[in-house]
Amino acid sequence: AGYACLSAWADLLDRINVFPVADGDTGANLRISLAPLRACGDDRAAAASQMVRCATGNSGNIAAAFFSGLLAAQSVDDLAAQAAEGRLRARRAVADPQDGTMLSVFDSLSEILARCAPLTASSFETILTALQQTVLTTAQTLPDCRSAGVVDAGALGMYVYFDGFFRSVTGQGGKSPS
């Protein structure tokens, strides 16, 4: 569900992509890089390995590193610990990690998952609200985004992914990102 939401928004992500280079490929890179999530099933280790091999561009490499950590979660109760591990992997995936990018979304997710444990259906709305706020701050954090009047494309892409993911987990699949 998360991947389907991300794919639906990929063209918009490409159009607002201004950081680190305005090359219009963040949506496409995320779609390509995270494609193994569509059918990871029971063999999440193989999906994580394939995702790292498929990773394209900065956004794809950062997201693949994060999800390779997150996929090690054995249950919803493991999400906080594995999000923290994924967050560290994502920061190591780039030479110069920048706040105001998808890394900030991963930071927020990791922090809020730790605070919301154990997770409940109402926790997911709290998580999505926190992630939405994080994405909105990217428009002011990065000078390129501020000049263009947009949020960071990678950060928005991760919000859209998690919106679909958490809505699916809670049985709210019919709602779309705001």
Side-chain angles (χ1 to χ4, degrees):
Y3 182 82
C5 286
L6 174 68
S7 291
W9 285 62
D11 289 341
L12 173 70
L13 299 175
D14 286 344
R15 286 194 305 272
I16 67 168
N17 172 215
V18 297
F19 182 83
V21 177
D23 53 5
D25 63 358
T26 294
N29 287 345
L30 288 172
R31 198 171 24 80
I32 292 165
S33 301
L34 300 181
L37 291 175
R38 290 181 300 178
C40 69
D42 293 331
D43 195 353
R44 289 176 281 169
S49 176
Q50 183 181 10
M51 194 170 21
V52 170
R53 288 191 315 272
C54 289
T56 304
N58 279 341
S59 59
N61 280 292
I62 295 167
F66 175 80
F67 283 102
S68 70
L70 191 65
L71 282 172
Q74 297 299 311
S75 70
V76 172
D77 296 331
D78 293 341
L79 281 178
Q82 292 313 129
E85 172 61 26
R87 175 193 166 278
L88 294 173
R89 289 181 185 195
R91 285 198 168 270
R92 289 190 301 249
V94 288
D96 186 19
Q98 296 288 312
D99 289 330
T101 64
M102 72 172 65
L103 293 171
S104 296
V105 172
F106 298 147
D107 291 345
S108 290
L109 179 64
S110 181
E111 292 167 15
I112 193 87
L113 285 172
R115 284 195 318 254
C116 287
L119 295 175
T120 64
S122 64
S123 301
F124 297 123
E125 284 302 321
T126 301
I127 293 166
L128 290 173
T129 299
L131 296 182
Q132 183 181 47
Q133 286 306 119
T134 300
V135 171
L136 291 173
T137 65
T138 68
Q140 297 305 312
T141 305
L142 295 169
D144 292 341
C145 290
R146 188 172 39 250
S147 294
V150 297
V151 297
D152 180 67
L156 179 58
M158 291 300 92
Y159 169 78
V160 169
Y161 176 89
F162 286 117
D163 183 84
F165 173 78
F166 286 125
R167 291 192 189 286
S168 176
V169 167
T170 60
Q172 301 175 37
K175 295 184 178 179
S176 63
S178 48

